[in-house]
Amino acid sequence: MPPLLQDWASNLTRAALVTPFTLSRLGEVKQLWQTHHREVVGVAVLSPLSYILVLTALTFSPVGVAK
């Protein structure tokens, strides 16, 4: 499975699972966004990017367990 497709599918699943919880606590989410929006954006960009880069590297490199 291509790394971008896997990341997209996992993010879609995660968003679907978290949305009901987020909507039930919308006031708290807005307050946290106002306080920590830079950190949220940083994690939102860098975390998936690092995961995609690792998955891409694993597709080019042989991975095995030495006994």
Side-chain angles (χ1 to χ4, degrees):
M1 175 182 280
L4 285 175
L5 180 60
Q6 181 177 356
D7 187 57
W8 181 82
S10 64
N11 284 335
L12 182 64
T13 303
R14 203 172 305 126
L17 292 173
V18 171
T19 297
F21 176 76
T22 304
L23 291 176
S24 70
R25 302 176 82 174
L26 198 54
E28 186 179 348
V29 171
K30 287 180 181 181
Q31 180 183 8
L32 287 170
W33 173 257
Q34 290 174 350
T35 308
H36 301 287
H37 64 278
R38 290 182 189 193
E39 293 90 346
V40 170
V41 171
V43 170
V45 170
L46 296 176
S47 179
L49 178 62
S50 65
Y51 184 64
I52 290 169
L53 290 174
V54 167
L55 290 178
T56 302
L58 289 174
T59 61
F60 291 116
S61 304
V63 178
V65 176
K67 290 186 175 187

